[in-house]
Structure formats: structure tokens, C-alpha cells
Amino acid sequence: MVARDVFDEGIEVAQGVIAHELGHYYHYDTDASLICNVAINTVTFLLMIVTFITRILSYIPFLGIAAGLYGLLLTVFGAITGIIFNLINLIFYWIDGKWAESSADMFGVDLGYGFGNYLFLSKYTEGFSLRALVSGFLDVHPGISSRCRYIKKRIIRYYGEDYWDSCVAVYGDYYV
């Protein structure tokens, strides 16, 4: 997804952002998260259905005590399993999100549009702050400062220091 106002930033920035988003498409980033969510929610939903059925069965007089105990055990097991599965899903989403953003940034560099993405991101760096550190850790996206650092390193490694210096001379370097 690309906001239209990114084109107001200049063609270099727009190309960098679009190359980044194409990296998400190329690496099937949304598919991995979708598959994990569907798998976790399917298992959790099935546990809820079985728990519901055993609760209904607990009201049948000749099944009452056995179904009630079974339903109680299944409810506890289902709740614990649901919590564990959702924590696994959350951790996967967090790790996969950080990897997806990094790989999409590198894809943009590999296409030759990394400096535009760097320019776009570097305008939002805050330098070092505790808030940026915590939000960079908790957020699905890596911190903006670290993204700028590894984009710059990759550009220099692929295209050389002279290319980097020429881009900075033409477009500037907002990163502090």
C-alpha cells in the first residue's frame, strides 16, 4: 500500500517506496501472516466448538456428570491451548514483520531504488530516544534508525562509497 502523497516527495522517494512495497509482494509477506493466522484461528475455533458441544451434553441427565467433568477439563485445556497458540501467533507476527520489512528494504536496494526509500525513512528518524528504542522493539517494523543504517550499508556494499556520496550530494542526507 502506497499513499498518494509519497509522490509529492519526489520521483526518487516514490520509486524507493514502491520498490519496498514490491519487495513485500515478491516475498509473499502477507501470505505468510495470513496462513499463520488462519491455522491458529482454525485450531482455536475447533476447540471452542468441542467445548460448546460438551457443555450442551452436560445438560443431558444420564451424561451430566461425565460430560460436565469432560467439559470442564476441555474448557481449561482449550483456554490454555488458545492462549498458547495466540502467543505463538503474536511472536510469529512480530518476528515475521521485522524480517519482512528488512527483506523488502533490501529488495528495494537490489532493484536500485534503495536511496529513495532511505530518503523517505530518514526524514522520520528521531536520533536516539527511549521512545524510539521501545517502539522500534515492540513495533512490527524495525526501528527507522536501524533501517536507515542497514539500507546505507547495503547500498555502499553493492554500489560503492562514490555512488552513496553522489546520491547524498544530489538529494541530501536527512539521517542524523
Side-chain angles (χ1 to χ4, degrees):
M1 170 155 290
V2 178
R4 285 191 312 186
D5 62 347
V6 78
F7 294 99
D8 297 338
E9 305 282 334
I11 191 69
E12 184 76 20
V13 171
Q15 289 171 334
V17 171
I18 290 171
H20 168 89
E21 296 306 326
L22 284 173
H24 286 303
Y25 177 77
Y26 180 79
H27 293 116
Y28 300 101
D29 291 337
T30 54
D31 296 349
S33 294
L34 179 67
I35 289 169
C36 186
N37 280 324
V38 167
I40 295 292
N41 289 327
T42 300
V43 171
T44 304
F45 181 71
L46 291 175
L47 284 170
M48 287 174 31
I49 294 293
V50 171
T51 302
F52 180 70
I53 290 170
T54 56
R55 286 189 180 197
I56 290 173
L57 291 176
S58 69
Y59 290 105
I60 299 174
F62 61 89
L63 294 177
I65 295 174
L69 288 174
Y70 182 68
L72 178 66
L73 289 173
L74 194 60
T75 300
V76 170
F77 173 75
I80 291 171
T81 306
I83 289 170
I84 290 171
F85 279 1
N86 282 307
L87 282 174
I88 289 170
N89 189 29
L90 182 68
I91 291 168
F92 172 80
Y93 182 71
W94 182 72
I95 291 170
D96 182 58
K98 295 221 183 255
W99 177 84
E101 288 303 315
S102 299
S103 65
D105 286 339
M106 295 305 104
F107 185 82
V109 172
D110 295 346
L111 287 179
Y113 300 110
F115 193 78
N117 194 27
Y118 174 88
L119 285 175
F120 178 74
L121 292 171
S122 64
K123 286 194 272 185
Y124 302 105
T125 58
E126 301 174 14
F128 179 78
S129 72
L130 185 59
R131 185 177 85 66
L133 181 69
V134 171
S135 68
F137 177 75
L138 294 177
D139 191 10
V140 174
H141 293 75
I144 293 176
S145 297
S146 66
R147 286 175 73 184
C148 287
R149 277 192 304 275
Y150 66 68
I151 289 171
K152 179 179 178 178
K153 284 180 188 176
R154 181 100 167 204
I155 289 172
I156 290 172
R157 184 172 5 134
Y158 274 21
Y159 304 108
E161 192 80 39
D162 292 338
Y163 175 80
W164 176 261
D165 292 340
S166 66
C167 287
V168 169
V170 172
Y171 297 103
D173 184 5
Y174 302 112
Y175 179 62
V176 177

